[in-house]
Amino acid sequence: MSLGQHLIEFRNRLFVSAIFVFAGAIGGWFLFDPIFQILQAPIVELAAEEGVNATVNFGTVVSAFDVRLQVSIFIGVIGTSPVWLYNIWAFITPGLKKRERRYTLAFVFTALPLFATGVALAWISLPGFVRTLIGFTPEGSANVINASEYILFTLRILLVFGIAFVLPVVLVLLNFASIITAKNIVNSWRLAVFVIALVAALATPTADPMSMFLIMIPLIILYFAAAGIAAINDKRRAKTMSEYDFDLDENLVD
């Protein structure tokens, strides 16, 4: 295909992906009310049970529309991710070798469940985070929470958790691409634990150490699992290379 044909194909796939994202955003528009009720439930329950004066507030005339639009687009992008990821894959796959295609497919099919697991864990932990943070409101004071900031806060936590769970898959992909080895991964465990602790601290905005450990433990397990998979792949690669060298030596002797 010529450059012009590639650009036309890219435009067509982008257009199809945009249609699906738009349709998903329309669905997200109608799902906003139940989702927002779930997100603000920790605040409502805390205010009712413990008498804390806390409420989610829409401070301007257009803020309710703006928040609804942001959440709808977010739902559309996440909900239709299989479609636009497939279109990205279908566009780049003709330029990949057979081995590279296998690696890319393995990455996509492994990364999606891990991302979903991270988001699910964040969703489960979110009420605890919110209750802990609101609990710092001084007695006699009101905690009027800006709805837009609250939504961005919750979406940030969901995304950080999801992306953090995908990072070990990146290590495995780099190993299969012969960029790093299992020894490199294992030798960097101290730095990895520090980075994981930093990510956990950013993702868990509460002072509760158990919230950090809730994120750190599965990430550390995934990190060393990535090292184990890389070690198996390194052994397989070394065995293949030794057999190749042996056959080459035999041919030279003959």
Side-chain angles (χ1 to χ4, degrees):
M1 295 175 63
S2 64
L3 177 61
Q5 291 173 319
H6 279 297
L7 292 176
I8 292 174
E9 182 189 6
F10 178 75
R11 182 198 62 188
N12 293 339
R13 294 194 178 277
L14 187 64
F15 181 71
V16 171
S17 299
I19 290 176
F20 275 89
V21 171
F22 180 72
I26 293 176
W29 180 273
F30 295 101
L31 291 173
F32 173 80
D33 288 330
I35 289 177
F36 189 75
Q37 289 178 5
I38 294 173
L39 290 177
Q40 71 170 348
I43 300 174
V44 176
E45 293 172 1
L46 188 66
E49 295 172 4
E50 302 183 16
V52 176
N53 190 1
T55 182
V56 177
N57 179 58
F58 293 92
T60 64
V61 176
V62 297
S63 60
F65 174 80
D66 184 47
V67 170
R68 193 182 192 107
L69 186 62
Q70 290 180 41
V71 174
S72 301
I73 294 174
F74 178 80
I75 294 173
V77 172
I78 297 299
T80 61
S81 57
V83 176
W84 52 263
L85 283 174
Y86 166 76
N87 278 284
I88 292 174
W89 160 254
F91 178 72
I92 66 174
T93 187
L96 298 177
K97 298 178 181 178
K98 185 177 180 180
R99 179 184 175 188
E100 293 170 338
R101 293 179 189 176
R102 290 201 304 267
Y103 293 164
T104 309
L105 279 175
F107 173 77
V108 170
F109 285 112
T110 307
L112 286 177
L114 284 175
F115 180 83
T117 301
V119 171
L121 181 60
W123 185 265
I124 294 171
S125 306
L126 185 61
F129 298 159
V130 174
R131 292 176 70 92
T132 302
L133 290 171
I134 294 178
F136 289 105
T137 303
E139 188 176 351
S141 301
N143 196 329
V144 180
I145 304 167
N146 184 281
S148 180
E149 293 178 357
Y150 180 67
I151 289 296
L152 291 177
F153 162 77
T154 56
L155 295 183
R156 184 194 70 179
I157 291 179
L158 294 175
L159 287 175
V160 168
F161 270 59
I163 293 171
F165 272 68
V166 174
L167 292 179
V169 185
V170 177
L171 292 177
V172 174
L173 185 66
L174 292 175
N175 174 260
F176 274 72
S178 302
I179 297 175
I180 61 174
T181 64
K183 186 176 180 181
N184 298 141
I185 298 175
V186 173
N187 290 343
S188 303
W189 72 269
R190 294 179 182 85
L191 177 62
V193 171
F194 172 77
V195 173
I196 288 172
L198 184 62
V199 170
L202 293 174
T204 54
T206 66
D208 181 14
M210 290 305 298
S211 300
M212 283 186 59
F213 287 129
L214 183 66
I215 261 294
M216 286 183 64
I217 291 173
L219 285 178
I220 291 173
I221 292 173
L222 287 171
Y223 179 82
F224 284 104
I229 296 173
I232 294 173
N233 182 59
D234 288 345
K235 289 182 180 179
R236 180 195 59 79
R237 186 186 294 123
K239 182 180 179 181
T240 302
M241 290 299 297
S242 63
E243 291 176 352
Y244 175 79
D245 291 340
F246 179 76
D247 291 341
L248 184 63
D249 291 339
E250 281 193 339
N251 291 333
L252 290 175
V253 171
D254 294 340

